[in-house]
């Protein structure tokens, strides 16, 4: 008779299985492992966990991709892309396959095998930089937004786009968790458009015009900033329960939390006051061509994200250190619709890119290095 199956414990220092509620551990997240990038002047510009939560992928400003084992807490390999550059690197549903946007030569999206660093396919069509990439949760398809004023839908099985939308500045795109809705953010029109994926060639079934939102300050709702550049949105993300939509911004006033069904403003997530007004030195470039003041800023993908349960938003403080947590079920000021951070999470480095592990109670942040955050027993949340 076969003996009992023995399940080995997780390796020491690695993330523990997600058996604890997020609400029980989120205040105790602490940096536990820092990976410095090889060149001091290099920045990590995007982060992506694979579906299993075991691996983390970082695109870097030195035209490389860095691969980490998040479960074991170690760096695995560096994949060079010196000829084409790399940004917005994403795992497909296979942990050894990657898609990413080129930053040099042309605007092709590249499909790479991490196993042998060989290209599997090229997705050509965009005529200007790709500003957003999102993988469909339910299939081997993905969507891209670009400065060429198009959104393109792709299948990993074909080099040709499966669909195309012509829109004004569709710089941010994402899928809802059910993979039935495609959301497109157009900063120059201050609008978010929702499409039925089964009928994406039809007009959007909902359009959220942020200029009509109650409580939102006019300076933030305007489609252009004071210098005439498009509004500084940096990320668009649905919560995993599909009820909320997060619009991350570089605006001093904070991030926008919207009702995903009605488009109403749930809360304006304000940053800690000690880091305001925001310094340009602590911000990443927005997806469109930067203003003169922003030239030289490294790329990014937004400095905040939802927790896996959809209740919390974790993000950078806006300063050169620390992260903070907003509880979306917390007390929202009825007059201003502002929601202050519930906790601050101490860190000695800037949290310019933030990503939540989909399988473990773990967060990754990045700037000039990549940091893993795990719950620390006995650690309490500090004031924001």
């Amino acid at each position: 008779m076969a003996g009992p199956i023995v399940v080995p414990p997780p390796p020491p220092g690695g993330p523990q299985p997600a058996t604890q509620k997020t609400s029980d551990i989120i205040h105790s997240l602490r940096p536990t492992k820092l990976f410095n990038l090889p060149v001091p002047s290099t920045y990590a510009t995007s982060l992506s966990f694979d579906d299993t939560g075991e691996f983390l992928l970082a695109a870097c400003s030195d035209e490389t991709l860095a691969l980490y084992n998040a479960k074991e807490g170690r760096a695995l390999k560096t994949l060079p892309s010196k000829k084409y550059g790399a940004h917005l690197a994403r795992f497909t549903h296979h942990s050894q396959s990657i898609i990413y946007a080129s930053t040099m030569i042309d605007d092709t999206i590249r499909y790479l095998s991490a196993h042998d660093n060989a290209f599997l396919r090229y997705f050509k069509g965009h005529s200007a930089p790709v500003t957003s990439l999102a993988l469909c949760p339910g299939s081997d398809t993905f969507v891209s937004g670009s400065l060429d004023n198009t959104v393109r839908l792709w299948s990993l099985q074909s080099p040709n786009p499966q669909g195309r939308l012509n829109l004004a500045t569709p710089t941010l795109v994402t899928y809802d968790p059910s993979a039935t809705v495609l959301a497109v953010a157009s900063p120059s029109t201050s609008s978010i458009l929702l499409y039925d994926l089964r009928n994406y060639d039809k007009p959007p079934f909902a359009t959220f015009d942020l200029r009509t939102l109650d409580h939102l300050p006019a300076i933030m709702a305007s489609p252009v900033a004071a210098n005439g550049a498009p509004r500084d949105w940096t990320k668009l993300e649905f919560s995993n329960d599909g009820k909320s939509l997060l619009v991350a911004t570089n605006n001093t006033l904070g991030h926008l939390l919207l009702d995903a069904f009605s488009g109403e403003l749930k809360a304006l997530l304000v940053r800690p006051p000690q880091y305001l007004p925001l310094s340009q030195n602590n911000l990443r470039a927005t997806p469109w061509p930067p203003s003169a003041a922003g030239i030289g800023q490294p790329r990014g993908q937004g400095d905040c994200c939802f927790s896996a349960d959809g209740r919390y938003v974790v993000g950078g403080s806006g300063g050169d250190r620390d992260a903070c947590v907003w509880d979306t079920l917390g007390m929202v000021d009825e007059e201003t619709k502002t929601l202050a951070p519930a906790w601050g999470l101490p860190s000695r480095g800037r949290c310019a890119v933030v990503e939540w592990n989909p399988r473990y109670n773990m967060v990754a942040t990045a700037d000039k290095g990549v940091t893993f955050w795990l719950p620390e027993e006995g650690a309490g949340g500090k004031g924001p």
Side-chain angles (χ1 to χ4, degrees), residues 104-154:
M104 301 187 299
I105 304 295
D106 58 22
D107 304 297
T108 298
I109 299 167
R110 302 181 185 277
Y111 183 19
L112 179 73
S113 168
H115 173 68
D116 54 8
N117 200 27
F119 288 116
L120 304 174
R121 189 161 285 115
Y122 306 99
F123 303 99
K124 298 182 179 181
H126 284 301
S127 58
V130 173
T131 56
S132 187
L133 275 179
L135 190 74
C136 180
S139 67
D140 285 331
T141 58
F142 68 96
V143 64
S144 58
S146 168
L147 291 177
D148 64 6
N149 292 324
T150 69
V151 171
R152 297 174 190 250
L153 290 88
W154 311 83

Side-chain angles (χ1 to χ4, degrees), residues 192 194 206-208 210 213 237-239 241-247 256-267 306 337:
I192 297 172
L194 301 185
T207 299
F208 304 152
L210 270 61
L213 291 180
E237 181 182 355
F238 280 97
S239 59
D241 59 10
K243 296 179 180 179
S244 300
L245 191 57
L246 176 66
V247 182
L256 306 177
L257 184 68
L258 306 178
D259 185 296
F261 298 101
S262 67
E264 294 179 357
L265 180 67
K266 285 187 171 182
F306 279 111
K337 280 291 185 180

Side-chain angles (χ1 to χ4, degrees), residues 63-366:
E63 294 85 42
T64 63
L65 301 166
L67 188 62
Y68 303 89
N69 188 313
K71 195 170 183 180
E72 298 178 2
R74 61 188 179 93
L76 293 178
K77 63 171 71 173
T78 298
L79 305 171
S81 184
K82 296 294 184 179
K83 183 177 180 180
Y84 305 108
H87 185 38
L88 301 172
R90 304 283 185 261
F91 280 111
T92 67
H93 294 303
H94 190 289
S95 298
Q96 292 295 321
S97 300
I98 296 164
I99 56 173
Y100 67 93
S102 306
T103 60
M104 301 187 299
I105 304 295
D106 58 22
D107 304 297
T108 298
I109 299 167
R110 302 181 185 277
Y111 183 19
L112 179 73
S113 168
H115 173 68
D116 54 8
N117 200 27
F119 288 116
L120 304 174
R121 189 161 285 115
Y122 306 99
F123 303 99
K124 298 182 179 181
H126 284 301
S127 58
V130 173
T131 56
S132 187
L133 275 179
L135 190 74
C136 180
S139 67
D140 285 331
T141 58
F142 68 96
V143 64
S144 58
S146 168
L147 291 177
D148 64 6
N149 292 324
T150 69
V151 171
R152 297 174 190 250
L153 290 88
W154 311 83
S155 168
L156 291 175
Q157 311 306 319
S158 170
N160 302 312
Q162 309 297 296
R164 168 175 167 167
L165 298 171
N166 297 312
L167 300 168
T169 63
T171 53
L172 301 172
V173 293
T174 192
Y175 293 93
D176 83 318
S178 68
T180 59
V181 175
L182 172 65
V184 181
S186 170
S188 69
T189 62
S190 284
S191 60
I192 297 172
L193 298 84
L194 301 185
Y195 290 87
D196 182 342
L197 266 178
R198 296 162 297 184
N199 300 288
Y200 59 81
D201 55 335
K202 302 293 193 297
F205 66 84
T207 299
F208 304 152
D209 186 345
L210 270 61
R211 291 169 293 186
T212 66
L213 291 180
D214 294 332
H215 304 284
L216 191 63
I219 189 175
M220 198 167 186
S222 169
V224 295
N227 61 4
R231 181 50 58 205
D232 44 5
W233 299 351
T234 58
K235 186 176 189 177
L236 185 66
E237 181 182 355
F238 280 97
S239 59
N240 273 344
D241 59 10
K243 296 179 180 179
S244 300
L245 191 57
L246 176 66
V247 182
T249 83
N250 275 347
N251 195 292
T252 290
L253 296 176
H255 309 297
L256 306 177
L257 184 68
L258 306 178
D259 185 296
F261 298 101
S262 67
E264 294 179 357
L265 180 67
K266 285 187 171 182
L268 179 60
L269 309 182
V270 295
R271 294 181 175 89
Q274 62 267 33
Y275 296 111
L276 302 180
L278 297 179
S279 168
Q280 289 293 320
N281 295 329
N282 292 328
L283 299 177
R284 293 301 180 90
T286 48
W288 39 86
S291 64
I295 290 176
Q297 291 174 319
R299 294 179 176 87
Q301 65 172 27
D303 65 343
C304 64
C305 68
F306 279 111
S307 61
D309 63 358
R311 173 175 173 177
Y312 301 95
V313 175
V314 181
S317 65
D320 58 1
R321 60 197 305 113
D322 297 346
C324 51
V325 177
W326 292 271
D327 183 353
T328 64
L329 299 182
M331 188 67 68
V332 176
D333 186 293
E334 288 300 322
E335 183 177 347
T336 63
K337 280 291 185 180
T338 55
L339 178 64
W343 302 286
L345 302 177
S347 168
R348 289 181 293 178
R350 183 183 298 117
C351 301
V353 185
V354 182
E355 193 76 2
W356 189 282
N357 190 306
R359 297 291 180 185
Y360 298 96
N361 284 324
M362 175 189 186
V363 173
T365 62

